[in-house]
Amino acid sequence: MSTATTLAPTDTIAATARRHGRWIDDWRPEDPDFWANGGARIARRNLIFSIFSEHIGFSVWTLWSVLVLFLGPAYGIDPAQKFLLTAAPAALGAVVRLPYTFAVATFGGRNWTIISALLLLIPAGLAAFLIQPGVSYTTLLVIACVAGVGGGNFASSMANINAFYPQRLKGWALGLNAGGGNLGVAVVQLVGLAVLATVGAGRPGLIAGLYIPLIVIAAVASALYMDNLTVASNEKGALREVSRDPHTWIMSVLYIGTFGSFIGFGFAFGQVLQVQFKDSFATPVEAAYLTFLGPLLGSLIRPIGGALADRFGGAFVTMLNFAAMGAGAAVVLYASSARSLPLYLVGFVLLFVFSGVGNGSTYKMIPAIFKAKGALSDAAPEIAEARARRLSGALIGIAGAIGAFGGVLVNVAFRQSFLTTGSAEAAYAAFIAYYLICLTITWFVYLRPSPNRLAGV
């Protein structure tokens, strides 16, 4: 077909849907006529079902943040072993993010959404049928690790939706996609709360079992309503190029502090409550009443971080945010030593909220970095802009994978702190130190008055 402008609206919609199988061969979202006459509708449909599948993926990924609350004395597991159970899926989730990003271009966005959804049946099925008193710790560790496949769904979903939307709408679409996925952390904890409140702590597998039909629905809906784009392609060259840029590793360090904190605290919060304040949370259901609140607020506030960065600058908002995260961790540290549960909850909720704000502001810094570098180059503006978009996408993939390792570090820090000191206070001190390091890096690299400072970051 030629151009969308020569077609009537209904013809344009039919043309955009012209496929080989489920592949769309002609996709021009930057063309206003094409977008208005069918393109937007198709992109929106793919976004809706992408969010649903990614949401289920996040829920399965963080399933063990709830399941560890069910592992009482009958399982013979101490707090240090429980933190290892929550670190395992965080680790695998970080590892699979880069290959999941490549998979979209290799298999197609629709096809990989189906495959990645069906892969969730493995951890959900294992957890549903094998978790019971008498199961070995090694078996639990394997089941927990396999749940990490859910962490890859975020990367593939973002890469897929990025290809569907025009540049002017990418921020909105990707923010909605990410926020809808992150809400899975809070929702799985609400599901756990419902199970605890209705059937008690004796049936942990029921939580995972409830997700099995939802996984099947996500896979079937993706097969029926999503599309593959032939224009999507792997950016392996961009990944190689961006891996040599020091800003890649600087931003990855900062993203460990923001998203890594969010996902790490999401895994650990309920468990820490039960250990630190066992007198106040004698049963899992009492802790579960509170565990969803932080992830919920952190997910909902993520777009606000991006909006603040749009107005005041990503680096400035990120620097202030790390100061706020350090203050929140200091409140938690003081409350822990003073045994003040209300103050402890306030501090932890602040950590979740500011980690959500930081997720948005750090992501906004990435395209600004390459736009500023492009302005300093001798390349023509359109070439510099295309290169900035290409490298930004690659850096988002790398930073997302490395940042997810922050979830591992948070749980390992809690585990080591309890093993060596019997409390989590050493972990809180380490978090404060890391946030101060991130604050200093942000100021020194992006805000410090200097001839080499990148404008607009």
Side-chain angles (χ1 to χ4, degrees):
M1 81 183 224
S2 55
T3 65
T5 56
T6 61
L7 298 168
T10 54
D11 293 332
T12 305
I13 293 172
T16 58
R18 189 172 297 154
R19 305 173 178 86
H20 296 299
R22 294 289 303 192
W23 291 82
I24 297 179
D25 298 319
D26 180 31
W27 188 252
R28 292 170 283 112
E30 301 294 346
D31 181 338
D33 290 328
F34 181 94
W35 185 252
N37 295 320
R41 180 179 59 82
I42 292 173
R44 184 168 57 250
R45 185 182 69 236
N46 280 269
L47 174 62
I48 290 169
F49 291 100
S50 175
I51 290 173
F52 179 58
S53 182
E54 183 198 348
H55 178 93
I56 301 300
F58 255 97
S59 293
V60 172
W61 187 26
T62 55
L63 184 64
W64 280 83
S65 68
V66 179
L67 292 180
V68 291
L69 300 179
F70 286 77
L71 305 182
Y75 290 84
I77 299 173
D78 61 35
Q81 290 175 308
K82 288 184 179 182
F83 282 116
L84 195 56
L85 287 174
T86 51
L92 184 64
V95 170
V96 300
R97 281 191 164 199
L98 278 181
Y100 266 56
T101 302
F102 293 143
V104 170
T106 303
F107 299 99
R110 165 189 174 269
N111 295 348
W112 184 250
T113 302
I114 298 169
I115 295 169
S116 62
L118 291 175
L119 285 173
L120 299 175
L121 290 171
I122 300 173
L126 291 174
F129 297 107
L130 296 183
I131 300 177
Q132 54 188 311
V135 65
S136 71
Y137 181 72
T138 300
T139 300
L140 291 176
L141 196 59
V142 171
I143 298 172
C145 186
V146 174
V149 297
N153 288 41
F154 173 84
S156 57
S157 180
M158 294 290 274
N160 184 39
I161 295 306
N162 182 62
F164 271 97
Y165 276 82
Q167 192 65 32
R168 70 184 186 278
L169 297 177
K170 284 184 190 290
W172 170 83
L174 294 177
L176 197 61
N177 195 52
N182 286 356
L183 279 172
V185 182
V187 170
V188 74
Q189 293 173 352
L190 286 171
V191 171
L193 172 60
V195 171
L196 283 168
T198 54
V199 302
R203 299 183 62 188
L206 183 58
I207 303 173
L210 290 173
Y211 274 93
I212 291 176
L214 295 176
I215 293 168
V216 174
I217 291 171
V220 172
S222 299
L224 293 176
Y225 300 111
M226 291 187 71
D227 304 288
N228 302 306
L229 297 180
T230 56
V231 297
S233 62
N234 278 332
E235 293 286 4
K236 294 179 181 178
L239 284 171
R240 286 193 295 269
E241 183 177 349
V242 83
S243 67
R244 296 190 290 267
D245 193 311
H247 291 285
T248 297
W249 309 110
I250 293 170
M251 291 307 303
S252 295
V253 167
L254 300 184
Y255 202 57
I256 286 174
T258 56
F259 179 75
S261 293
F262 173 81
I263 198 67
F265 294 146
F267 273 111
F269 185 35
Q271 196 179 163
V272 172
L273 278 178
Q274 274 203 295
V275 176
Q276 290 266 189
F277 296 93
K278 55 186 175 184
D279 295 338
S280 301
F281 300 101
T283 64
V285 69
E286 292 171 346
Y289 275 121
L290 297 171
T291 53
F292 75 93
L293 181 60
L296 176 65
L297 294 176
S299 300
L300 293 176
I301 205 167
R302 178 171 180 154
I304 295 177
L308 290 172
D310 281 338
R311 182 170 182 180
F312 300 107
F316 180 71
V317 172
T318 297
M319 184 185 72
L320 293 183
N321 190 72
F322 278 122
M325 291 184 72
V331 170
V332 172
L333 176 59
Y334 174 78
S336 177
S337 61
R339 306 295 298 169
S340 172
L341 178 58
L343 192 58
Y344 186 88
L345 293 174
V346 168
F348 240 116
V349 167
L350 288 175
L351 280 174
F352 274 111
V353 167
F354 289 120
S355 67
V357 171
N359 281 340
S361 64
T362 49
Y363 255 34
K364 295 294 288 187
M365 288 174 66
I366 292 173
I369 288 170
F370 291 109
K371 181 179 179 180
K373 293 182 74 172
L376 297 175
S377 70
D378 296 328
E382 60 274 13
I383 295 176
E385 183 178 348
R387 182 173 183 270
R389 287 198 302 269
R390 178 172 168 267
L391 296 181
S392 296
L395 175 48
I396 286 173
I398 292 176
I402 295 175
F405 272 109
V408 183
L409 298 176
V410 167
N411 284 271
V412 169
F414 278 127
R415 177 180 184 272
Q416 193 61 35
S417 183
F418 281 112
L419 278 175
T420 56
T421 69
S423 76
E425 291 174 16
Y428 303 138
F431 301 151
I432 294 170
Y434 191 83
Y435 299 147
L436 291 178
I437 290 171
C438 289
L439 183 155
T440 303
I441 290 173
T442 306
W443 174 81
F444 187 83
V445 177
Y446 299 111
L447 295 172
R448 176 177 58 98
S450 166
N452 298 321
R453 177 181 173 184
L454 294 175
V457 176

